[in-house]
mmCIF file of all heavy atoms in Angstrom:
data_model
loop_
_atom_site.group_PDB
_atom_site.id
_atom_site.type_symbol
_atom_site.label_atom_id
_atom_site.label_comp_id
_atom_site.label_asym_id
_atom_site.label_seq_id
_atom_site.Cartn_x
_atom_site.Cartn_y
_atom_site.Cartn_z
ATOM 1 N N THR A 96 -10.032 7.704 -0.735
ATOM 2 C CA THR A 96 -11.138 8.622 -1.013
ATOM 3 C C THR A 96 -11.767 8.379 -2.387
ATOM 4 O O THR A 96 -12.814 8.930 -2.683
ATOM 5 C CB THR A 96 -10.668 10.094 -0.920
ATOM 6 O OG1 THR A 96 -9.482 10.226 -1.706
ATOM 7 C CG2 THR A 96 -10.390 10.490 0.508
ATOM 8 N N SER A 97 -11.124 7.549 -3.210
ATOM 9 C CA SER A 97 -11.693 7.280 -4.542
ATOM 10 C C SER A 97 -12.694 6.131 -4.465
ATOM 11 O O SER A 97 -12.604 5.276 -3.587
ATOM 12 C CB SER A 97 -10.600 6.885 -5.528
ATOM 13 O OG SER A 97 -9.671 7.923 -5.662
ATOM 14 N N ASN A 98 -13.624 6.137 -5.420
ATOM 15 C CA ASN A 98 -14.647 5.103 -5.450
ATOM 16 C C ASN A 98 -14.941 4.742 -6.906
ATOM 17 O O ASN A 98 -15.339 5.615 -7.687
ATOM 18 C CB ASN A 98 -15.911 5.617 -4.748
ATOM 19 C CG ASN A 98 -16.897 4.510 -4.492
ATOM 20 O OD1 ASN A 98 -17.128 3.659 -5.343
ATOM 21 N ND2 ASN A 98 -17.486 4.523 -3.317
ATOM 22 N N PRO A 99 -14.730 3.478 -7.279
ATOM 23 C CA PRO A 99 -14.865 3.097 -8.693
ATOM 24 C C PRO A 99 -16.295 3.224 -9.221
ATOM 25 O O PRO A 99 -16.504 3.191 -10.438
ATOM 26 C CB PRO A 99 -14.411 1.630 -8.705
ATOM 27 C CG PRO A 99 -14.620 1.148 -7.313
ATOM 28 C CD PRO A 99 -14.368 2.341 -6.431
ATOM 29 N N LYS A 100 -17.252 3.379 -8.317
ATOM 30 C CA LYS A 100 -18.641 3.546 -8.769
ATOM 31 C C LYS A 100 -18.846 4.866 -9.505
ATOM 32 O O LYS A 100 -19.806 5.015 -10.251
ATOM 33 C CB LYS A 100 -19.591 3.525 -7.551
ATOM 34 C CG LYS A 100 -20.179 2.172 -7.247
ATOM 35 C CD LYS A 100 -21.219 2.277 -6.153
ATOM 36 C CE LYS A 100 -22.581 2.697 -6.676
ATOM 37 N NZ LYS A 100 -23.219 1.708 -7.542
ATOM 38 N N TYR A 101 -17.963 5.844 -9.235
ATOM 39 C CA TYR A 101 -18.171 7.178 -9.791
ATOM 40 C C TYR A 101 -17.051 7.548 -10.740
ATOM 41 O O TYR A 101 -16.128 8.275 -10.401
ATOM 42 C CB TYR A 101 -18.296 8.208 -8.657
ATOM 43 C CG TYR A 101 -19.297 7.771 -7.606
ATOM 44 C CD1 TYR A 101 -18.891 7.435 -6.323
ATOM 45 C CD2 TYR A 101 -20.656 7.655 -7.926
ATOM 46 C CE1 TYR A 101 -19.793 7.011 -5.371
ATOM 47 C CE2 TYR A 101 -21.570 7.221 -6.977
ATOM 48 C CZ TYR A 101 -21.129 6.902 -5.708
ATOM 49 O OH TYR A 101 -22.024 6.471 -4.767
ATOM 50 N N GLY A 102 -17.109 7.023 -11.936
ATOM 51 C CA GLY A 102 -16.086 7.298 -12.937
ATOM 52 C C GLY A 102 -16.428 8.548 -13.738
ATOM 53 O O GLY A 102 -17.557 9.052 -13.681
ATOM 54 N N GLY A 103 -15.434 9.035 -14.494
ATOM 55 C CA GLY A 103 -15.657 10.167 -15.405
ATOM 56 C C GLY A 103 -16.263 11.366 -14.691
ATOM 57 O O GLY A 103 -15.737 11.821 -13.678
ATOM 58 N N TYR A 104 -17.389 11.868 -15.223
ATOM 59 C CA TYR A 104 -18.001 13.072 -14.666
ATOM 60 C C TYR A 104 -19.025 12.784 -13.577
ATOM 61 O O TYR A 104 -19.579 13.709 -12.993
ATOM 62 C CB TYR A 104 -18.655 13.876 -15.804
ATOM 63 C CG TYR A 104 -17.611 14.495 -16.709
ATOM 64 C CD1 TYR A 104 -17.206 13.856 -17.871
ATOM 65 C CD2 TYR A 104 -17.013 15.701 -16.359
ATOM 66 C CE1 TYR A 104 -16.222 14.408 -18.678
ATOM 67 C CE2 TYR A 104 -16.029 16.262 -17.156
ATOM 68 C CZ TYR A 104 -15.639 15.611 -18.314
ATOM 69 O OH TYR A 104 -14.655 16.163 -19.091
ATOM 70 N N THR A 105 -19.303 11.513 -13.294
ATOM 71 C CA THR A 105 -20.402 11.211 -12.370
ATOM 72 C C THR A 105 -20.092 11.676 -10.949
ATOM 73 O O THR A 105 -20.996 11.917 -10.156
ATOM 74 C CB THR A 105 -20.749 9.709 -12.361
ATOM 75 O OG1 THR A 105 -19.606 8.979 -11.860
ATOM 76 C CG2 THR A 105 -21.090 9.194 -13.749
ATOM 77 N N GLY A 106 -18.795 11.819 -10.629
ATOM 78 C CA GLY A 106 -18.418 12.249 -9.288
ATOM 79 C C GLY A 106 -18.752 13.708 -9.003
ATOM 80 O O GLY A 106 -18.790 14.126 -7.843
ATOM 81 N N LEU A 107 -19.010 14.489 -10.042
ATOM 82 C CA LEU A 107 -19.241 15.928 -9.850
ATOM 83 C C LEU A 107 -20.577 16.231 -9.176
ATOM 84 O O LEU A 107 -20.827 17.363 -8.775
ATOM 85 C CB LEU A 107 -19.166 16.658 -11.198
ATOM 86 C CG LEU A 107 -17.786 16.657 -11.853
ATOM 87 C CD1 LEU A 107 -17.860 17.331 -13.224
ATOM 88 C CD2 LEU A 107 -16.761 17.363 -10.976
ATOM 89 N N GLN A 108 -21.437 15.214 -9.039
ATOM 90 C CA GLN A 108 -22.729 15.449 -8.397
ATOM 91 C C GLN A 108 -22.602 15.597 -6.882
ATOM 92 O O GLN A 108 -23.568 15.976 -6.217
ATOM 93 C CB GLN A 108 -23.674 14.285 -8.719
ATOM 94 C CG GLN A 108 -23.193 12.950 -8.143
ATOM 95 C CD GLN A 108 -23.934 11.754 -8.695
ATOM 96 O OE1 GLN A 108 -25.132 11.647 -8.528
ATOM 97 N NE2 GLN A 108 -23.210 10.861 -9.367
ATOM 98 N N PHE A 109 -21.427 15.279 -6.326
ATOM 99 C CA PHE A 109 -21.292 15.257 -4.866
ATOM 100 C C PHE A 109 -20.501 16.450 -4.359
ATOM 101 O O PHE A 109 -19.622 16.981 -5.044
ATOM 102 C CB PHE A 109 -20.584 13.976 -4.419
ATOM 103 C CG PHE A 109 -21.303 12.731 -4.841
ATOM 104 C CD1 PHE A 109 -20.777 11.904 -5.829
ATOM 105 C CD2 PHE A 109 -22.524 12.388 -4.265
ATOM 106 C CE1 PHE A 109 -21.443 10.747 -6.226
ATOM 107 C CE2 PHE A 109 -23.196 11.238 -4.661
ATOM 108 C CZ PHE A 109 -22.649 10.416 -5.643
ATOM 109 N N THR A 110 -20.779 16.808 -3.120
ATOM 110 C CA THR A 110 -20.011 17.883 -2.494
ATOM 111 C C THR A 110 -18.641 17.349 -2.062
ATOM 112 O O THR A 110 -18.438 16.134 -1.967
ATOM 113 C CB THR A 110 -20.789 18.505 -1.311
ATOM 114 O OG1 THR A 110 -20.199 19.754 -0.995
ATOM 115 C CG2 THR A 110 -20.777 17.606 -0.092
ATOM 116 N N ASP A 111 -17.706 18.244 -1.790
ATOM 117 C CA ASP A 111 -16.323 17.815 -1.561
ATOM 118 C C ASP A 111 -16.182 16.845 -0.388
ATOM 119 O O ASP A 111 -15.446 15.868 -0.465
ATOM 120 C CB ASP A 111 -15.441 19.046 -1.332
ATOM 121 C CG ASP A 111 -15.446 19.952 -2.552
ATOM 122 O OD1 ASP A 111 -14.775 19.616 -3.535
ATOM 123 O OD2 ASP A 111 -16.170 20.974 -2.539
ATOM 124 N N SER A 112 -16.909 17.102 0.691
ATOM 125 C CA SER A 112 -16.734 16.269 1.887
ATOM 126 C C SER A 112 -17.363 14.879 1.720
ATOM 127 O O SER A 112 -17.084 13.979 2.509
ATOM 128 C CB SER A 112 -17.302 16.977 3.116
ATOM 129 O OG SER A 112 -18.596 17.443 2.843
ATOM 130 N N PHE A 113 -18.196 14.701 0.715
ATOM 131 C CA PHE A 113 -18.738 13.366 0.415
ATOM 132 C C PHE A 113 -17.617 12.334 0.318
ATOM 133 O O PHE A 113 -17.742 11.214 0.800
ATOM 134 C CB PHE A 113 -19.501 13.419 -0.916
ATOM 135 C CG PHE A 113 -19.840 12.056 -1.486
ATOM 136 C CD1 PHE A 113 -20.966 11.361 -1.063
ATOM 137 C CD2 PHE A 113 -19.029 11.467 -2.461
ATOM 138 C CE1 PHE A 113 -21.273 10.107 -1.586
ATOM 139 C CE2 PHE A 113 -19.323 10.217 -2.988
ATOM 140 C CZ PHE A 113 -20.453 9.537 -2.547
#
Side-chain angles (χ1 to χ4, degrees):
T96 50
S97 299
N98 192 318
K100 266 187 83 67
Y101 310 112
Y104 290 95
T105 64
L107 294 176
Q108 64 193 299
F109 301 110
T110 196
D111 299 284
S112 49
F113 167 83

